[in-house]
């Protein structure tokens, strides 16, 4: 009974006034393994976003950057780094680090600045240059660091992805063929995305023939690490109206909540759920908590969503996210997939950008890339990937140490 664009506003203890801001421009540097400095990707994305918005760089009074911890001190102070690279003009700067949710945290900082009346126009930008292979912690001996400990034990990121996949198989009856179907779906649509790194269509046979990484997941079930950059120009609604862009997509909600005790699922970099002393306390799944605040803040529900961009670090995780967002009941995401409902033209298209399967992960840019895709979709500018009649989109993203995000755009 979903109707695209229909919104059911609810009473909320969170919202006492509008928290919406306008998205005037979006820009991306294509994902790949280019081997350049991350600043180059971020500046290219920022310039594209400025041109897309029709906003002079001098009008931007706040620059909010997503930090990258792999690129030295300039990455730690990314907001200032990008502001300097674009040309100092007096804008205030901010840098946010929240692992894979860094881009959303940077967007939240810009939104807060705008809603506080302290700026009218902000640039939000994230970019990364990644090493080959696993994203690993810094070297040394640090037993007090949970991320270091799990790598010391041999628990890389794909190990967690494999555990989640195995859980779906054991609890819901999902199959290897279901996981492969996610890759096939995403590669088909990602082949039409000029900004994607991987633009080849893959078959289920290709997935089955790829190397085993962490049973039951094979190489093509798991996303790569990539270089890339993404940027947004956001503004107050009043500024958008003065520019004649009152119909621009709006950020209707941003959720960056942290986990709630007691944890029901092992999350990176933990090596166990909460203690058995929590017996009798309701267990929570962190990923399912992220969209709840977003829905409440936007005054809508899952039934109002027209498309979703989710963090498919693995094929099986895309199915988890579909259920976490409330787009399917627990255990029913694979059925939606098999019916074609999550494909372009289906009831609830998921990852019409091609997702991480086609991009790989450029950590501080990835959450912003999701919002860029929703922006183009809501403006009807996605070309062969366009979701017809898209009015409301949602993102889902998760990083280490209790970080995650869900952003809702509407028009």
């Amino acid at each position: 009974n979903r109707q695209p664009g229909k919104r059911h506003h609810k009473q909320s203890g969170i919202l006492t006034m509008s928290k919406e801001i306008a998205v005037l421009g979006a820009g991306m540097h294509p994902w790949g393994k280019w081997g350049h400095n991350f600043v180059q990707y971020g500046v290219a994305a920022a310039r594209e976003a400025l041109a897309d918005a029709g906003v002079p760089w001098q009008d931007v009074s706040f620059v909010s950057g997503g930090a990258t911890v792999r690129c030295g001190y300039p990455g730690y102070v990314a907001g200032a780094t990008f502001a300097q690279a674009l040309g100092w003009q007096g804008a205030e700067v901010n840098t946010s680090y929240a692992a894979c949710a860094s881009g959303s945290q940077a967007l939240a900082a810009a939104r807060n600045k705008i809603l506080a009346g302290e700026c009218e126009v902000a640039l939000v930008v994230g970019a990364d240059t990644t090493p080959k292979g696993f994203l690993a912690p810094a070297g040394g001996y640090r037993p007090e660091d949970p991320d270091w400990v799990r790598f010391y034990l041999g628990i890389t990121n794909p190990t967690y992805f494999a555990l989640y996949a195995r859980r779906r198989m054991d609890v819901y009856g999902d199959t290897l063929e279901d996981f492969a179907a996610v890759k096939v779906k995403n590669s088909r649509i990602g082949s039409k995305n000029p900004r994607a790194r991987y633009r080849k269509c893959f078959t289920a046979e290709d997935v089955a023939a790829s190397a085993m990484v962490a049973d039951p997941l094979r190489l093509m079930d798991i996303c790569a690490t990539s270089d890339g950059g993404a940027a947004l120009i956001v503004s107050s609604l009043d500024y958008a109206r003065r520019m004649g862009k009152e119909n621009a997509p709006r950020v209707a909600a941003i959720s960056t909540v942290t986990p709630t005790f007691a944890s029901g699922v092992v999350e990176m970099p933990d090596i166990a759920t909460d203690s058995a002393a929590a017996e009798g306390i309701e267990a929570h799944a962190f990923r399912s908590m992220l969209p709840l605040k977003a829905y409440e803040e936007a005054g809508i529900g899952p039934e109002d969503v027209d498309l979703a961009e989710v963090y498919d670090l693995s094929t099986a995780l895309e199915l988890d996210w579909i259920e976490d967002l409330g787009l399917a009941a627990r255990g029913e995401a694979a059925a939606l997939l098999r019916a074609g409902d999550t494909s372009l033209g289906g009831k609830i298209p998921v990852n019409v950008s091609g997702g991480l399967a086609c991009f790989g992960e450029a950590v501080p840019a990835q959450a912003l890339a999701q919002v860029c895709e929703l922006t183009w979709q809501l403006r009807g500018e996605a070309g062969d990937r366009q979701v017809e009649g898209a009015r409301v989109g949602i993102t889902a993203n998760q990083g280490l140490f209790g970080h995650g995000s869900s952003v809702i755009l509407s028009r």
Side-chain angles (χ1 to χ4, degrees):
N1 297 322
R2 295 178 58 260
Q3 298 181 29
K6 184 180 178 183
R7 304 181 65 181
H8 303 289
H9 291 276
K10 304 170 185 176
Q11 294 297 319
S12 167
I14 296 175
L15 266 182
T16 56
M17 59 176 291
S18 173
K19 291 188 176 183
E20 292 185 331
I21 59 172
V23 182
L24 300 182
M28 288 174 62
H29 183 289
W31 263 228
K33 276 289 188 183
W34 310 114
H36 303 305
N37 188 287
F38 80 101
V39 182
Q40 180 174 329
Y41 312 138
V43 167
R47 286 174 174 162
E48 182 180 333
L50 285 163
D52 184 43
V55 170
W57 166 232
Q58 290 74 16
D59 277 13
V60 175
S61 55
F62 187 65
V63 179
S64 192
T68 171
V69 297
R70 280 172 291 280
C71 301
Y73 196 78
Y76 302 154
V77 292
T81 298
F82 292 128
Q84 182 180 31
L86 290 164
W88 291 124
Q89 40 81 307
E92 294 182 284
V93 297
N94 164 75
T95 300
S96 298
Y97 184 72
C100 301
S102 296
S104 296
Q105 290 277 16
L107 178 59
R111 180 180 71 155
N112 290 344
K113 197 78 169 175
I114 291 169
L115 294 178
E118 296 183 3
C119 87
E120 283 198 301
V121 187
L123 165 66
V124 186
V125 56
D128 207 0
T129 299
T130 58
K132 184 178 181 179
F134 297 130
L135 296 178
Y141 184 78
R142 298 193 313 283
E144 73 287 349
D145 177 351
D147 197 34
W148 181 90
V149 168
R150 54 109 174 187
F151 267 86
Y152 187 74
L153 295 174
I155 309 175
T156 60
N157 289 6
T159 305
Y160 289 89
F161 308 158
L163 290 172
Y164 302 146
R166 181 63 65 185
R167 183 176 185 275
R168 290 201 64 86
M169 297 175 77
D170 292 346
V171 177
Y172 305 130
D174 288 9
T175 67
L176 297 178
E177 291 74 22
D178 292 327
F179 302 154
V182 174
K183 176 68 173 184
V184 172
K185 170 185 73 74
N186 288 347
S187 71
R188 185 183 301 121
I189 192 65
S191 70
K192 302 176 182 179
N193 192 337
R195 295 175 173 85
R197 176 180 177 183
Y198 301 106
R199 300 184 61 194
K200 176 182 176 181
C201 292
F202 291 97
T203 66
E205 291 73 24
D206 292 329
V207 178
S210 64
M212 181 66 72
V213 175
D215 191 20
L217 298 178
R218 295 183 175 274
L219 185 63
M220 289 191 184
D221 285 303
I222 297 170
C223 81
T225 58
S226 293
D227 300 353
L232 299 166
I233 298 295
V234 293
S235 77
S236 67
L237 300 185
D238 184 59
Y239 183 92
R241 281 191 290 269
R242 297 202 310 271
M243 284 195 68
K245 295 192 174 186
E246 60 274 4
N247 294 323
R250 299 182 179 189
V251 176
I254 304 175
S255 169
T256 57
V257 299
T258 53
T260 301
F261 186 83
S263 63
V265 177
V266 178
E267 303 289 0
M268 294 186 292
D270 299 334
I271 57 175
T273 55
D274 287 321
S275 168
E279 184 178 359
I281 298 177
E282 182 183 0
H284 299 275
F286 172 45
R287 288 192 296 273
S288 66
M289 303 298 291
L290 286 164
L292 293 182
K293 176 179 179 290
Y295 285 136
E296 184 176 10
E297 189 174 292
I300 65 172
E303 67 276 7
D304 301 303
V305 173
D306 299 314
L307 74 158
E309 285 288 310
V310 306
Y311 222 54
D312 58 317
L313 293 164
S314 79
T315 51
L317 268 170
E318 176 168 311
L319 300 176
D320 277 343
W321 278 118
I322 290 169
E323 295 164 8
D324 292 327
L325 290 175
L327 305 177
R330 284 293 169 198
E332 294 184 6
L336 281 185
L337 172 72
R338 295 171 200 142
D341 290 341
T342 60
S343 297
L344 184 65
K347 293 180 181 178
I348 178 65
V350 176
N351 280 344
V352 289
S353 67
L356 296 182
C358 295
F359 277 79
E361 185 181 25
V363 173
Q366 214 66 48
L368 294 177
Q370 292 179 317
V371 178
C372 286
E373 177 66 23
L374 293 188
T375 299
W376 293 317
Q377 288 284 348
L378 268 57
R379 295 195 315 203
E381 299 173 354
D384 291 342
R385 296 175 292 104
Q386 183 63 48
V387 175
E388 185 178 355
R391 303 281 295 178
V392 178
I394 190 169
T395 73
N397 167 286
Q398 183 184 10
L400 296 180
F401 291 100
H403 289 116
S405 66
S406 184
V407 179
I408 292 176
L409 257 64
S410 64
R411 191 174 186 185

